[in-house]
Structure formats: C-alpha cells, structure tokens
C-alpha cells in the first residue's frame, strides 16, 4: 500500500502541477476563454487512464494461465521502462518544465481550439497511464489489490490537496528534494517489479530457470509474516528468488541508481552556488508568469 501511495502521490503531484501551470498561464495571458477546452483535455486524460486501469484489471481474465503470465511479464517490463523514463525525465526537465509548458500553450493557441484539448489530454494522460500501469504491475506481483488501489487513490487525493495549497501559497514544500528522494525510492520499487517480470517470463519459458532458487528464506521471512508481507507489498520481496531474479534486481538497481545519482550530481554542480537560493522548483510558474499570489502555482517554493 505504501508503494502505491507514493506512486499516486508523486504522479498526482506532477500532473496537478502541470495542470496548475497551464491554467495559470492561460489566465495570465488573458485567454480565459480556452480554460474550458483545457479542462476537457484533462477530463479525457482521466477517462483514458481509468479505462487503461480497467482493461489491465479485467482483460487478463479472458486469457489462459500461460497467456496471463506472459502478458503480466511483458506489461511489468513496460511499467518499469515507463517509470524509469519518468524518473530521469523529471530529473532533466524539471527545472525548465514551466517554460516548456508555456511555449506549448502559445503554440496550441496559435493553431486551433482542438490543440488546447490535445495539450491538456497529453500533458496529464501520460502521468495517468503511467500510474495505472505501474500500480497494476505492483498489485499483480503480490500486493493486496484493494489496499494497493486504495493506497494509490489516497496518494492522488493528497497530491490534489497539496497542489491546491501550493497554488494559493498555503503550503510550502521543497519539490526538488521531494522528487529526488521519491525517485530513489521508486527505483527500488521498480526493481521489485522487474524481478516479478522475470519470474513471470520464467514461468512460461521465455527466460530459462538457471537452476533452483538462489536462497530460501521462507522459514524465517515468508509472506505470511508481517515483515515479509510488508517487504512484498513495498518492494515485491520474494523469500525464494531465482538466480535470474537476483541478477536482474541487482543489475537494475546498480545501473539505474548510478545513472540517477550522476544526473543529480551534474545538475547540482551545474547550478552556481550563488543562484541556489533563487532556483525555482520543478513545475513552478516563474514570477513573470504569475502577477498575483492567487494566479501563481508555487511562488514561494524553492528547490534545494
């Protein structure tokens, strides 16, 4: 539940900040007439995300056991790839996100009314589909479906409340630090989903077994114990992993975490120390795009 809560919180906060930036900029340039189109696009994104979640939940029931395992393994790999891409994308584009979104709004307004709808749908839909796919993969790998879904919904609700508070200057949060540490945590969660994908693909013979389990901790740390259930729910822990799962988990964590930490180091060293107090947080509306406190998305938020 905790892992899905964090997924819902991070993705919901990112999507909410994107919507707030788009809405604030549209108001700033005096084009309130296109706000309705923007909300139509956001509504379409939400509907598509819910549809993807429903399809992932009920679709596999029509498949055989082998077909379900193969689909589960493939979609879990897709989920890991999407979340990994999301973590690195936010690490590289977070600081310039506001300017990029404002440029897209200008371009969409110049084209046609439908372009604003598409902009809202694409900007939010990506986050929604990522959330649906990753939550499904996490739940399918052993988490309780009800608790996992409730955790994700709770995270999204908390994200909505935070965005509302930030946009009105009621909440101060270091978004840069938040996205940095949740990125590290999600790498560990994604590693567990990656190991689950390997297991499913081994079940259908796509990946060879490579002998028996690497070890077996079922006697002391089975999923029936509170600690085993907690680790399984958060990190997809299994007490008797295969060697392929162990190698895959270690390789993913070492490679991804190393690249991510290098990205953070480059971002930190490339920012002059004197400019650090004035640096804007990811997804913040700059001062020139937010003349009033009510129209600003996060005028008081600073990044580390």
């Amino acid at each position: 539940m905790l892992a899905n809560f964090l997924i819902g919180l991070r993705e919901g906060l990112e999507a909410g900040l994107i919507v707030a930036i788009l809405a604030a900029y549209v108001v700033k340039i005096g084009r309130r007439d296109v706000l309705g189109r923007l909300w139509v696009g956001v509504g379409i994104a939400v509907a598509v995300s819910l549809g993807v979640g429903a399809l992932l939940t009920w679709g596999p029931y029509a498949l055989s056991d082998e077909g379900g395992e193969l689909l589960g393994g493939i979609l879990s790999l897709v989920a890991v790839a999407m979340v990994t891409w999301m973590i690195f994308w936010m690490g590289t584009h977070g600081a310039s996100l506001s300017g990029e979104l404002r440029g897209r709004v200008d371009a969409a307004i110049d084209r046609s009314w439908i372009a604003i709808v598409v902009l809202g749908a694409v900007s939010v839909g990506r986050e929604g589909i990522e959330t649906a796919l990753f939550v499904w993969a996490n739940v399918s790998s052993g988490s309780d479906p009800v608790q996992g879904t409730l955790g994700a919904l709770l995270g999204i609700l908390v994200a909505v409340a935070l965005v509302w508070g930030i946009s009105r200057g009621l909440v101060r949060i270091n978004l840069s630090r938040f996205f940095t540490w949740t990125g590290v945590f999600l790498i560990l969660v994604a590693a567990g989903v990656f190991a689950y994908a390997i297991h499913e693909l081994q079940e259908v013979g796509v990946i060879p077994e490579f002998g028996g389990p690497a070890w077996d901790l079922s006697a002391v740390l089975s999923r029936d114990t509170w600690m085993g259930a907690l680790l399984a729910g958060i990190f997809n822990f299994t007490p008797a992993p295969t060697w392929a799962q162990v190698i895959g988990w270690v390789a993913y964590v070492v490679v991804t975490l190393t690249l991510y930490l290098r990205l953070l180091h480059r971002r930190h060293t490339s920012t002059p120390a004197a400019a650090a107090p004035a640096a804007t947080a990811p997804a913040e509306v700059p001062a020139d795009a937010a003349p009033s406190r009510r129209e600003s998305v996060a005028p008081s938020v600073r990044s580390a």
Side-chain angles (χ1 to χ4, degrees), residues 52-248:
V52 170
L55 181 62
L56 292 173
T57 300
W58 302 109
Y61 284 104
L63 300 174
S64 63
D65 291 341
E66 184 173 309
E69 290 170 345
L70 179 61
L71 179 64
I74 293 174
L75 290 182
S76 295
L77 290 178
V78 173
V80 171
M82 291 185 67
V83 170
T84 304
W85 174 83
M86 175 268 295
I87 293 171
F88 281 93
W89 185 90
M90 190 48 132
T92 55
H93 293 81
S96 60
L97 181 59
S98 178
E100 292 180 10
L101 289 174
R102 286 184 293 151
R104 293 177 188 176
V105 170
D106 291 335
I109 290 177
D110 291 339
R111 290 176 190 153
S112 64
W113 69 269
I114 193 66
I116 290 292
V117 176
V118 174
L119 176 63
V122 172
S123 299
V124 178
R126 182 190 64 190
E127 314 300 333
I129 293 175
E130 285 177 356
T131 303
L133 186 57
F134 200 62
V135 168
W136 173 85
N138 202 36
V139 168
S140 298
S141 59
S143 302
D144 182 85
V146 176
Q147 290 187 2
T149 303
L150 289 177
L153 291 176
L154 182 59
I156 293 173
L157 291 176
V158 172
V160 171
L162 285 175
V163 171
W164 180 85
I166 291 172
S167 65
R168 282 155 178 77
L170 302 177
V171 177
R172 298 174 62 89
I173 179 174
N174 190 314
L175 293 176
S176 177
R177 189 167 298 174
F178 170 83
F179 283 115
T180 295
W181 286 108
T182 54
V184 173
F185 184 83
L186 285 182
I187 287 175
L188 298 178
V189 174
V193 176
F194 184 59
Y196 165 75
I198 293 176
H199 173 267
E200 293 297 277
L201 294 178
Q202 284 184 307
E203 287 292 309
V204 295
V206 175
I207 298 177
E209 290 288 342
F210 297 115
W215 57 73
D216 192 347
L217 301 177
S218 301
V220 294
L221 201 61
S222 69
R223 291 197 174 191
D224 295 331
T225 64
W226 71 269
M227 179 61 73
L230 180 64
L231 292 175
I234 299 176
F235 301 112
N236 288 290
F237 166 80
T238 177
T242 65
W243 279 109
Q245 286 180 283
V246 173
I247 294 172

Side-chain angles (χ1 to χ4, degrees), residues 31 49 68 103 152-153 289:
R31 292 300 306 270
S49 301
L153 291 176

